[in-house]
Each structure stands twice: as C-alpha cells, then as structure tokens.
Amino acid sequence: MEYSIKPIAVVSNSRKMIKDDNWGNVISTVELTKDIHASSLKGIDDFSHLEIIFYFDKVVDEKIQYEARHPRNNKDYPEVGIFAQRGKNRPNKIGVTVVELLELKDRTLIVSGLDAIDGTPIIDIKPVMKEFLPKGELKQPSWATDLMKNYWD
C-alpha cells in the first residue's frame, strides 16, 4: 500500500545544509503553499507551540536506515534501532518537532526551534495542547542526553 502526501507549506530559514547541532537560534518561516487557504491558520496564534511534521526531502534513499546503528554513527553510543532514535535517515523520511510560535502573518508562521533546513516541505501542522503532552516523568538513556547537549545551542 502506498500513500501520496502533498506539502502544505515550505520552510524558509538560514540553514542551507543538513547539520545535527546548533538549532537554538534558528528562526524559520513556514509559508503555506498556494493551494492551502490562509484561513486554515485561523486561531493558531492562540497557541504558544506547534508540532511541525515535515519531510526530509534531501535524504537520499541510499542513506535510509532500516536496522540498528550507532546514533550519528558514533561508536561511543550504543547501537539502537532507527525507531529508538530521531535521526533523519528514517524509512519514511518524516521529521516531527515542537516549535514556539512567534508570530502569524497571513499565510506564514514565524517559529523558533524548527530543526528543518531551508526549503523543507511541511506535511502537517498541529497545535500543542497540554492534554496531549506526556503524563509523569520522561525517561531516556544517558546517550540521548549526551547526544542532544549541543542540539539547541
């Protein structure tokens, strides 16, 4: 079974190359495509944060990971399955990030914290609601904390 998904928006920002760290100061605009009506964003500015679902369109098929690997190919980290990490070389090339909504301008969202490069196609936008956030304390392995130490700097 195959699915076809059309982008609903496109990212514009200063990041032109795929890079793993230093996303903290990146401000992005997410502009709706011509076939998506501006009214689809009505009321979105009542939310402080959004989930942005995007497509890693620059990842070549030969780089896709289907099995376990060391995160960032760093042998200091344990070998874990692709679904136990957030790497870009995923089977369906889908990324998800929670961003802060800074401003809504007609057909454009201005956000911070989006770790997608310039030109990335957006496939969905959802408001973050408290009721969908995890309940209780989050758990993660120490390698994940170490890996993320420079991600948002």
Side-chain angles (χ1 to χ4, degrees), residues 3-141:
Y3 293 93
S4 175
I5 297 176
K6 290 176 33 177
I8 54 109
V10 176
V11 175
S12 294
N13 63 29
S14 62
R15 295 289 288 263
K16 309 300 182 204
M17 304 296 290
I18 297 172
K19 189 175 168 189
D20 287 326
D21 288 319
N22 308 115
W23 288 98
N25 294 323
V26 177
I27 303 297
S28 299
T29 60
V30 174
E31 185 172 354
L32 295 177
T33 58
K34 290 179 178 30
D35 56 330
I36 302 294
H37 199 275
S39 68
S40 65
L41 297 174
K42 184 176 181 176
I44 203 164
D45 51 343
D46 289 334
F47 294 90
S48 64
H49 290 78
L50 307 172
E51 279 183 296
I52 306 291
I53 299 97
F54 54 96
Y55 184 67
F56 290 116
D57 64 317
K58 301 290 188 273
V59 173
V60 295
D61 289 343
E62 297 77 41
K63 298 280 187 175
I64 297 298
Q65 301 285 310
Y66 294 95
E67 299 171 359
R69 70 173 182 125
H70 298 280
R72 294 192 186 175
N73 297 314
N74 183 337
K75 302 264 194 239
D76 292 336
Y77 299 137
E79 189 175 77
V80 296
I82 190 64
F83 300 125
Q85 53 188 290
R86 294 184 65 102
K88 63 190 169 297
N89 299 337
R90 318 184 67 70
N92 284 319
K93 304 180 189 181
I94 293 175
V96 178
T97 303
V98 173
V99 301
E100 181 180 2
L101 176 59
L102 302 175
E103 189 176 351
L104 168 62
K105 288 184 176 179
D106 189 35
R107 305 177 51 74
T108 303
L109 303 168
I110 300 168
V111 301
S112 68
L114 179 57
D115 52 348
I117 63 173
D118 186 64
T120 298
I122 303 299
I123 56 177
D124 206 351
I125 300 166
K126 294 182 175 200
V128 172
M129 298 177 184
K130 286 189 252 185
E131 293 78 7
F132 283 95
L133 295 176
K135 310 296 182 253
E137 190 175 337
L138 293 176
K139 173 185 156 188
Q140 69 183 33

